[in-house]
């Protein structure tokens, strides 16, 4: 079968697949819009320092993601998604009313945290969707498309927030974020109509949930270290390069990630499986990060080329992670598994950003960038160990 764009055309030409792709794109706006719109809403009446604190506290709501995932595994998607969305919208409304009236700051903190705890798990549903609406033949292409759409969402989402805040009001961007979540919910439920995963029975449930899988636990550790590498390189490049060059370099990372993801998705399944092995991809990321760490950071052309090389590992790594975590997931826990992946990605990003910023400020560009190959190597080791123990676990 031909590769290249033909594989994407084949994927999207299937019954209902264009709707699945549209639903996947809509789901990518939530994460990129909520925190930024929250910052823009709170800052005018308080300060940017206070708004940043509210956004940081709100981010703690990500710890509820596995609980939402487990709920999806045990109940039909529609009641869960609509109930969570309604609570999310009410809490956003409370925050907007309180900020409009310059009300007590603790109410803003509580509403922001609650709104994120109740954020509709549309990203989780999207990753589950691809596994149940695609065949083995085109699954790697679907996961690659999803990774590319995530990059697109994180480019277009902030732009939508900026335009809405500028033309209307900062609070309008919060309303736009809720509307984006609503649109994603509608499209995902339509895409999954009649194809929703079977629910696990009571006898099949372990109190550990998806964490009962040892390979999955290892892979979640790998996910955390990979995400730390991503978050670290982003904050190091943005801080070291200054406002203009830093923004350009972070954009180059996204372009590289899109290019890498598209390339993997264009391969036939056999080739994609060989090229897209997670340990190999993370070793490549480690090597590219090491070259960037020892390069002359003042040489702009060389830096851009190496940043592109680093970014090209991101998309394929996301494809491999989402694919393998689904394979390691115990029966009936698909949504909870993907929710744990999301939580590990958030935690790793926070770790990488904090470590990268501190090391850059204390030791400079080269030593801060040396964290990236270190994180990648740690992730590669865990991924390799997960692969090696999988046959023994399955045999048991």
């Amino acid at each position: 079968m031909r590769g290249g764009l033909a594989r994407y055309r084949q994927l999207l030409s299937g019954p209902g697949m264009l709707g699945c792709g549209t639903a996947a794109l809509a789901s990518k706006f939530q994460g990129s819009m909520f925190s930024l719109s929250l910052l823009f809403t709170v800052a005018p009446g308080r300060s940017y320092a206070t708004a940043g604190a509210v956004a940081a506290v709100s981010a703690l709501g990500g710890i509820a993601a596995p609980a939402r995932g487990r709920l999806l595994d045990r109940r039909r998607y529609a009641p869960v998604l609509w109930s969570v969305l309604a609570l999310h919208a009410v809490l956003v409304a409370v925050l907007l009313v309180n900020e409009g009236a310059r009300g007590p700051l603790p109410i803003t903190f509580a509403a922001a945290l609650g709104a994120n705890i109740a954020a509709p798990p549309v990203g989780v549903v999207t990753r589950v969707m691809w596994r149940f609406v695609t065949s083995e033949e085109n699954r790697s292409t679907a996961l690659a498309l999803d990774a590319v759409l995530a990059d697109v969402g994180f480019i277009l989402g902030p732009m939508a927030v900026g335009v809405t805040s500028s033309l209307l009001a900062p609070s309008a961007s919060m309303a736009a974020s809720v509307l984006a979540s609503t649109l994603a919910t509608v499209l995902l439920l339509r895409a999954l109509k009649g194809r929703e995963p079977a629910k696990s029975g009571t006898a099949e449930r372990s109190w550990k949930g998806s964490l009962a899988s040892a390979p999955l636990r290892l892979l979640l550790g790998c996910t955390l270290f990979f995400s730390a590498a991503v978050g670290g390189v982003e904050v190091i490049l943005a801080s070291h390069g200054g406002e203009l060059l830093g923004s350009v370099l972070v954009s180059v990372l996204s372009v590289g990630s899109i290019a890498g993801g598209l390339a993997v998705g264009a391969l036939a399944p056999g080739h994609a499986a060989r090229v897209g092995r997670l340990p190999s991809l993370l070793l490549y990321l480690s090597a590219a990060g090491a070259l960037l760490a020892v390069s002359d950071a003042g040489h702009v052309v060389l830096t851009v080329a190496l940043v592109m090389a680093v970014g090209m590992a991101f998309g394929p790594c996301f494809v491999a992670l989402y694919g393998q975590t689904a394979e390691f997931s115990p029966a009936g826990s698909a949504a909870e598994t993907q929710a744990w992946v999301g939580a590990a990605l958030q935690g790793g990003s926070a770790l990488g950003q904090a470590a990268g910023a501190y090391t850059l400020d204390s030791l400079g560009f080269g030593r801060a960038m040396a964290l990236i190959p270190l994180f990648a190597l740690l992730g590669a080791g865990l991924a390799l160990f997960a692969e090696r123990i999988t046959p023994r676990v399955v045999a048991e």
Side-chain angles (χ1 to χ4, degrees):
M1 181 182 296
R2 291 181 301 163
L5 293 177
R7 293 198 58 79
Y8 290 98
R9 286 197 297 269
Q10 181 195 31
L11 170 69
L12 294 176
S13 63
M17 294 308 295
L18 188 58
C20 290
T22 305
L25 176 59
S27 73
K28 307 306 178 191
F29 286 94
Q30 182 191 77
S32 61
M33 291 180 70
F34 179 75
S35 59
L36 187 59
S37 59
L38 181 61
L39 188 70
F40 285 176
T41 298
V42 176
R46 313 283 184 177
S47 68
Y48 271 101
T50 301
V54 171
V57 169
S58 172
L60 296 176
I63 62 176
R68 295 195 300 263
R70 186 173 292 195
L71 194 59
L72 286 169
D73 286 327
R74 300 181 178 184
R75 300 286 185 272
R76 290 191 58 80
Y77 282 3
V80 173
L81 289 175
W82 286 121
S83 299
V84 172
L85 177 62
L87 179 58
H88 175 73
V90 167
L91 289 167
V92 168
V94 169
L95 186 149
L96 292 177
V97 170
N98 190 61
E99 284 303 292
R102 299 295 184 267
L105 185 57
I107 293 179
T108 294
F109 273 104
L113 175 61
N116 204 24
I117 289 175
V122 290
V124 168
V125 175
T126 301
R127 294 194 291 273
V128 173
M129 173 189 72
W130 288 123
R131 188 160 187 84
F132 286 91
V133 302
T134 58
S135 63
E136 195 68 34
E137 171 71 18
N138 58 17
R139 188 161 298 140
S140 62
T141 303
L143 291 175
L145 177 63
D146 194 73
V148 169
L149 292 177
D151 284 313
V152 172
F154 273 93
I155 293 171
L156 297 181
M159 289 176 57
V161 170
V163 170
T164 305
S165 297
S166 299
L167 296 182
L168 299 175
S171 58
S173 63
M174 286 292 289
S177 174
V178 175
L179 286 175
S181 296
T182 304
L183 176 62
T185 299
V186 171
L187 292 175
L188 283 169
L189 289 174
R190 180 176 298 177
L192 277 168
K193 189 174 183 180
R195 297 188 280 189
E196 190 169 318
K199 306 305 174 184
S200 59
T202 305
E204 299 172 336
R205 300 173 187 170
S206 165
W207 67 270
K208 295 180 182 178
S210 56
L211 294 183
S213 168
L216 178 61
R217 295 197 298 270
L218 288 170
L219 208 60
L220 289 175
C222 170
T223 303
L224 185 137
F225 284 123
F226 162 65
S227 184
V230 175
V233 74
E234 286 178 346
V235 77
I236 292 168
L237 291 174
S239 302
H240 178 73
E243 291 184 2
L244 178 58
L245 181 58
S247 299
V248 170
L249 292 178
V250 172
S251 297
V252 169
L253 275 178
S254 295
V255 171
S257 180
I258 291 172
L262 285 173
V264 168
L267 297 174
H271 289 101
R274 288 191 292 272
V275 173
R277 282 191 63 234
L278 192 53
S280 301
L281 290 170
L282 288 169
L283 287 175
Y284 163 76
L285 174 58
S286 178
L291 288 174
L292 186 56
V294 300
S295 68
D296 179 6
H299 197 293
V300 176
V301 175
L302 176 61
T303 300
V304 168
L306 290 173
V307 168
M308 174 69 80
V310 168
M312 287 187 71
F314 291 173
C317 280
F318 279 114
V319 174
L321 278 170
Y322 291 142
Q324 278 199 285
T325 49
E327 292 170 7
F328 294 160
S329 172
S333 62
E336 183 186 349
T337 296
Q338 294 298 342
W340 276 113
V341 173
L345 287 171
Q346 286 189 30
S349 181
L351 169 64
Q353 288 173 356
Y358 176 80
T359 310
L360 177 66
D361 186 57
S362 304
L363 302 175
F365 178 82
R367 293 183 180 180
M369 194 59 70
L371 290 171
I372 308 311
L374 174 61
F375 286 141
L377 283 174
L378 290 169
L382 289 174
L384 186 61
F385 191 28
E387 284 186 358
R388 290 189 173 182
I389 71 169
T390 301
R392 178 175 60 81
V393 172
V394 172
E396 291 174 357

